[in-house]
Amino acid sequence: MLIIIVFQSRQLSLANDLDYISNQEDLLVAKGEPSEQWQFEDQGALFEHYYYQTENASFLIDQETGLICKQYQGKSRGSCYPCEKDQVSTKCP
């Protein structure tokens, strides 16, 4: 009897990364050092932006918790908040 086992490698897409990457430590282990990183303040909280040039991917990390609060394509700095400071709308009471 001949048994053949095939291992299929899976390349994770950006959308699937959050399935296993949830914090700064996991991000650095999985992806290594970012091409660029910088700290910024948004609505009184401190965040760190990691940008990976080879994937054109950005990760925003809440420095208080160490958790990734946003992940997206591109280099521009995003925000973890759905609203601008003092913005009022149906999404931003």
Side-chain angles (χ1 to χ4, degrees):
M1 175 155 84
L2 177 64
I3 299 174
I4 299 174
I5 300 174
V6 177
F7 293 98
Q8 182 179 11
S9 67
R10 182 179 86 136
Q11 184 175 4
L12 295 173
S13 69
L14 183 61
N16 291 330
D17 281 348
L18 285 180
D19 291 345
Y20 74 99
I21 299 174
S22 62
N23 61 51
Q24 185 175 21
E25 184 179 335
D26 290 346
L27 178 64
L28 292 171
V29 168
K31 298 197 175 293
E33 291 297 319
S35 306
E36 296 179 36
Q37 73 184 72
W38 59 90
Q39 287 188 344
F40 65 97
E41 188 175 315
D42 189 8
Q43 299 186 34
L46 188 61
F47 297 91
E48 194 151 0
H49 181 174
Y50 283 11
Y51 175 69
Y52 291 87
Q53 184 175 9
T54 56
E55 300 174 17
N56 189 30
S58 289
F59 295 83
L60 300 184
I61 300 156
D62 182 331
Q63 290 298 289
E64 185 176 327
T65 64
L67 297 176
I68 295 170
C69 57
K70 188 165 188 174
Q71 168 184 348
Y72 54 95
Q73 294 288 66
K75 184 178 179 178
S76 64
R77 192 192 87 194
S79 175
C80 290
Y81 297 107
C83 308
E84 296 292 323
K85 187 174 182 176
D86 300 324
Q87 178 183 0
V88 177
S89 72
T90 55
K91 289 196 297 188
C92 308

